[in-house]
Amino acid sequence: MLLEEIVIGSVKKDFLALLDGIEEKDRDYLYGCALVTDKDFASIHLIANTVNRHERKSDKTEINYDWNTDNWKYSTKHLKKRELDDVSYKLIALVMEEKEGLKGVTSPMFTRSLKRLKKELEKKGVNTKDVCFFVTVHDKDREEKKTEIESAKKINKGFMLENFLENR
């Protein structure tokens, strides 16, 4: 199986497990999902966030969305079984073999995996138009914002993308 198919399958499985960990009454308020990686674009996990209960309003344009992923509540790091751990081990082994970062290969692959996740969720009837999906780099530098913006533009459209771009 190609590495990209493994990544796509693992992102889907871990996201669904992460979603299961979010209380049902909060799932409708999910607004952000990020695939988090490191500066080598090898180690990966997912994070997500929902609108705070005191912020919930019927008009989503009045909600103050927190795009600082350091504040986000849900992470696959808290799952007992994480498919993305196996992917990370494979990617780290590749970095060790190649002696260089994998950004040119993995960054587009991570974006495509989130795009595919979004499409599959839509097919299952999950409302994804109110969720902004993107890739982020947890080693805080200029690369983080550039990666977030590029990936978000390739995956999303509409109000949530605009809000993300204006407020990130």
Side-chain angles (χ1 to χ4, degrees):
M1 184 182 281
L2 294 172
L3 180 60
E4 184 160 347
E5 290 303 314
I6 294 169
V7 171
I8 289 168
S10 297
V11 164
K12 180 182 172 185
K13 286 178 186 174
D14 279 7
F15 178 81
L16 293 174
L18 182 65
L19 197 57
D20 283 344
I22 299 174
E23 289 184 48
E24 199 165 326
K25 62 185 173 194
D26 293 336
R27 288 183 197 160
D28 289 339
Y29 295 96
L30 180 71
Y31 69 87
C33 176
L35 189 147
V36 182
T37 189
D38 58 9
K39 65 180 170 47
D40 293 321
F41 284 74
S43 176
I44 56 176
H45 68 278
L46 292 170
I47 58 174
N49 208 22
T50 57
V51 176
N52 290 326
R53 290 185 179 150
H54 67 278
E55 282 278 337
R56 294 179 182 172
K57 300 173 175 107
S58 58
D59 183 356
K60 65 182 179 182
T61 62
E62 294 179 12
I63 296 172
N64 181 23
Y65 297 97
D66 181 3
W67 295 111
N68 181 351
T69 56
D70 291 337
N71 299 333
W72 285 17
K73 185 175 180 180
Y74 305 99
S75 172
T76 55
K77 285 185 171 184
H78 301 117
L79 298 175
K80 289 182 181 175
K81 171 73 173 116
R82 296 178 295 274
E83 298 288 327
L84 289 172
D85 283 355
D86 294 336
V87 172
S88 292
Y89 297 138
K90 288 176 180 155
L91 293 173
I92 290 167
L94 283 173
V95 168
M96 302 296 268
E97 235 175 68
E98 301 293 324
K99 303 284 191 255
E100 59 186 62
L102 298 174
K103 179 186 176 194
V105 175
T106 56
S107 181
M109 180 173 40
F110 295 161
T111 300
R112 287 190 300 269
S113 70
L114 287 174
K115 193 171 190 173
R116 183 111 156 249
L117 170 66
K118 185 174 181 174
K119 284 182 182 177
E120 288 190 30
L121 292 172
E122 288 168 356
K123 286 179 187 175
K124 291 184 175 197
V126 176
N127 178 12
T128 60
K129 71 178 177 65
D130 292 335
V131 182
C132 185
F133 293 84
F134 59 95
V135 177
T136 188
V137 181
H138 71 76
D139 300 323
K140 304 292 182 200
D141 62 12
R142 290 183 194 157
E143 193 66 38
E144 175 189 31
K145 194 166 187 173
K146 181 180 174 191
T147 300
E148 290 177 354
I149 290 169
E150 286 175 1
S151 63
K153 285 180 176 179
K154 290 177 182 172
I155 301 168
N156 308 283
K157 60 184 175 184
F159 171 78
M160 290 309 288
L161 174 60
E162 291 171 25
N163 187 284
F164 174 79
L165 295 174
E166 288 173 15
N167 296 294
R168 183 66 182 125

